[in-house]
Amino acid sequence: MVDIATRVWNHKWKIDPIVRSLIDTDFYKLLMCQSVFRNKRDVQVKFSLINRTKTIRLADLVDEAELREQLDHVRSLSLTRGESTWMRGNTFYGKRQMFTPDFMDWFENLRLPPYHLEKRDGQYELTFEGSWPEVMLWEIPALAILMELRSRAVLRDMGRFELQVLYARAMTKVWEKVELLRGVEGLRIADFGTRRRHSFLWQDWCVQALQEGLGDAFTGTSNCLIAKNRDMEAIGTNAHELPMVYAALADGDGALRQSPYDVLADWQAEHDGNLRIILPDTFGTPGFLNRAPDWLAGWTGIRIDSGDPATGAEEAIAWWTSRGEDPRAKLIIFSDGLNVEKILELHAQFQGRVRVSFGWGTMLTNDFIGLVPDDALAPFSLVCKAVEADGRATVKLSDNPNKAMGPVDEIARYKRVFGVGTQERVEVVV
Amino acid sequence: MVDIATRVWNHKWKIDPIVRSLIDTDFYKLLMCQSVFRNKRDVQVKFSLINRTKTIRLADLVDEAELREQLDHVRSLSLTRGESTWMRGNTFYGKRQMFTPDFMDWFENLRLPPYHLEKRDGQYELTFEGSWPEVMLWEIPALAILMELRSRAVLRDMGRFELQVLYARAMTKVWEKVELLRGVEGLRIADFGTRRRHSFLWQDWCVQALQEGLGDAFTGTSNCLIAKNRDMEAIGTNAHELPMVYAALADGDGALRQSPYDVLADWQAEHDGNLRIILPDTFGTPGFLNRAPDWLAGWTGIRIDSGDPATGAEEAIAWWTSRGEDPRAKLIIFSDGLNVEKILELHAQFQGRVRVSFGWGTMLTNDFIGLVPDDALAPFSLVCKAVEADGRATVKLSDNPNKAMGPVDEIARYKRVFGVGTQERVEVVV
């Protein structure tokens, strides 16, 4: 077991890269990357880092040279032989050869494309441009690097034992969550916390603690490197970037309205079973479900990632019922802003009515709330999104206007095309 | 830094001796040993382990074979070259060559004498017989071994992360104490926690945490091995065994009444300054002080180790005043059953009136209270005392009848000889 506090204290980071591997990323990124590689490999995209928590002035906290050093280090990475063997040989979601030989050939030769970094108003403008399957792989490392550099900046001047006690307290917090969750009948939780983790070592610790503490109720981690190293299941399906880019590429309102289903038609050609999970909220869940083709109702489940989660789950259940499907055979994955209380509440509310699963992110891998003065380690809302595709702006509406992004006129157009009315604003914490 | 939880989990104790060195003992044991070696080396003594907490059935908890293995390991130890160099070359209490060449020659060749072990009524009867300077060195290792074997028995079936969180919680408890104590003007605290420590590694951690957390307010440790390894001050003076054995050897009531002063006369011939600390409570503090010769009032301080500590301190102050000494130049060392609240209270009450110092034992190095079910790691009151000297029973009265020991008729005789009247009973926790 790694003594995190001592690593934190000893290294003073000089020789401690934050992202050590191209598979230190979310599993769904690799699945989506393969899908993009197959269907849209020549699309040119621009990804951009966006700090939704403006009060955290990242450019004041994080040294630019250190940030460049970490980003440059990621550009030096390529897939190792062991990583390639794992991707080629491992079983994912019960399936062998999830990653095709031609995708693996491409991935083995990949180096991540250049980045563009500037400071503006106390924030970093960090963007990545190039072909979609390459650029998309920057998202998770870029987020993890900024989150961890911020942690390091806060921890830098702490003493050795002060640090050990800080981690002791954080471990205790995680374990108190385990104690609240263990023994809850039928609970299923996976780690989705890579992007906003406190640090790599910390995520690795949290995942292992959940494995020991929750046993079979812990289903795996979205982090491929940890899944590989710890012999766990790699968990994840697909994300908003697919419908966002497909939508941006669509010519005209009709094609735009159809684009989210095109994404899933492509996905269905590649995946089955528990990988057929609908993410319905990109342009508003109710309209998406209303207009959905019947074949989508046959999919395994729905992931609820914005808006009030109970409302989203009720909408999903009602939709399945209306399409003649038995919700009890369906899977709902909650993945938005979860904490223990919300997990227990949603589990109690929906267990038995549907199959329920949780993708637990930031409050699993970065809950240092209350542990340092001024809460300087509290997590914040950092994202890295596709903002352009072949020169056209992307849009995300979601089920929470506070999570919407894109140019104002395009947001208005999308709302019109997708028939999105008034939405409830939900505070975005992480 | 040692990852204690992992060590605890990995080794399952097979190759992890509890006492690794003859100087893994209290500094005052070595000082007293030298004094005994000089003045009473041929006295034959019997030391015996006494578990004052009868509810802890040690023989049910601790495997006899494991106990023998640990005790046998101690008998295999001899002073290493580095340990000898440290004792011969280091400065203790500002003095070089605290340990004389003839004592060191003897100590370098020492192996501890045999032990005698039996089970009775769920307890271990563990005794040591032989010449005083040899047998006396069993006290601390015997206690530390039993305390740690009990810890190990409780921890044996815990999971890896469960253990890490247990230690995380214990670290947090220690650090909360540090946070309460740090910044208190003029505080001086030493570690006296070897004998009832949770484990060696844990004591080592606690001591280092106090050093970082309290800075100069942490004055050192009674544990010679840790003092050596961590380059700290070794702290300690003398203990009850000297007056207990001297008293047992005294012929007749007059010699008995005089014996505690004989101890200190011998001590004065060897030590000065901060080593001239009176431990007045062996046969009752008030009588001891009343009858004390004037030269004792010139000593540096008094250690208060039983009874109500504030009462003992007031008695000391009144005594110094009555002998024309300025209490503000004197040192009072509190060492009985301390916790943070008591330390802060006594410090506030006496700081400025005398010089105050604290020898913090069990609640520093073994506070796992509330951390496991049934409080199975809570410290308990285990002692290892001289019970016979040259075939005569020893007696200890102390300022608390609950700490008295010896045959009933001898206790009565000592009470008469030392003029001890009614004493307040104080619950003995550790």
Side-chain angles (χ1 to χ4, degrees), chain B residues 65-85:
Chain B
E66 281 182 44
L67 174 54
R68 286 185 184 276
E69 199 175 33
Q70 293 292 342
L71 294 167
D72 291 342
H73 180 77
V74 173
R75 291 202 65 210
S76 78
L77 296 172
S78 62
L79 205 64
T80 69
R81 185 166 165 177
E83 290 161 356
S84 177
T85 301

Side-chain angles (χ1 to χ4, degrees), chain A residues 38 41 66 82 84 93 107 114 140 193 197 208 238 311 342 350:
Chain A
R38 173 177 172 155
R41 81 176 70 172
E66 281 182 44
S84 177
Y93 281 78
F107 194 30
I140 308 298
R197 66 192 183 199
Q208 292 177 82
N238 56 66
T311 304
K342 213 176 277 183
F350 292 102

Side-chain angles (χ1 to χ4, degrees), chain A residues 53-210:
Chain A
T53 310
K54 299 297 175 203
T55 49
I56 308 273
R57 293 174 61 89
L58 276 178
D60 297 344
L61 280 168
V62 170
D63 180 72
E64 182 174 337
E66 281 182 44
L67 174 54
R68 286 185 183 275
E69 199 174 32
Q70 293 292 342
L71 294 167
D72 291 342
H73 180 78
V74 174
R75 291 203 65 211
S76 78
L77 296 172
S78 63
L79 205 63
T80 69
R81 186 165 164 179
E83 290 161 356
S84 177
T85 301
W86 180 76
M87 287 182 69
R88 286 176 183 269
N90 193 42
T91 304
F92 300 99
Y93 281 78
K95 181 177 162 184
R96 292 219 174 272
Q97 288 208 293
M98 176 71 80
F99 298 101
T100 62
D102 65 323
F103 173 71
M104 288 308 302
D105 290 345
W106 170 84
F107 194 30
E108 282 163 1
N109 288 296
L110 177 72
R111 300 285 180 117
L112 291 200
Y115 60 89
H116 182 77
L117 179 67
E118 275 184 69
K119 278 188 187 182
R120 191 172 312 228
D121 297 333
Q123 300 294 343
Y124 283 114
E125 286 197 355
L126 177 59
T127 54
F128 310 92
E129 292 185 68
S131 76
W132 190 8
E134 296 184 0
V135 167
M136 66 188 295
L137 293 176
W138 262 116
E139 177 184 355
I140 308 298
L143 292 172
I145 284 171
L146 273 151
M147 293 305 292
E148 186 163 345
L149 283 179
R150 185 266 205 152
S151 302
R152 293 180 180 190
V154 173
L155 302 179
R156 182 156 298 152
D157 297 324
M158 288 176 70
R160 187 174 183 178
F161 285 79
E162 194 181 8
L163 273 169
Q164 206 178 15
V165 171
L166 172 69
Y167 282 103
R169 285 175 165 155
M171 285 173 185
T172 301
K173 286 190 87 170
V174 172
W175 201 254
E176 282 166 357
K177 297 175 190 189
V178 166
E179 289 171 335
L180 288 169
L181 295 170
R182 75 196 324 173
V184 175
E185 184 66 29
L187 201 61
R188 294 177 65 79
I189 297 180
D191 158 43
F192 277 20
T194 300
R195 68 190 58 212
R196 290 196 205 99
R197 66 192 183 199
H198 169 80
S199 73
F200 172 75
L201 292 176
W202 182 245
Q203 181 185 18
D204 193 36
W205 190 92
C206 291
V207 165
Q208 292 177 82
L210 254 63

Side-chain angles (χ1 to χ4, degrees), chain A residues 341-386:
Chain A
E341 294 68 34
K342 213 176 277 183
I343 288 171
L344 290 173
E345 181 188 321
L346 290 167
H347 177 76
Q349 192 172 349
F350 292 102
Q351 178 73 0
R353 298 177 60 199
V354 286
R355 292 160 51 208
V356 176
S357 184
F358 296 91
W360 198 6
T362 312
M363 289 303 283
L364 169 61
T365 61
N366 200 355
D367 182 6
F368 283 66
I369 294 171
L371 298 186
V372 295
D374 303 326
D375 239 348
L377 286 177
F380 60 102
S381 188
L382 192 68
V383 295
C384 182
K385 292 285 186 190

Side-chain angles (χ1 to χ4, degrees), chain A residues 407-420:
Chain A
V408 175
D409 56 340
E410 282 296 296
I411 289 180
R413 174 178 164 241
Y414 275 60
K415 281 189 159 184
R416 174 175 54 75
V417 169
F418 289 103
V420 172

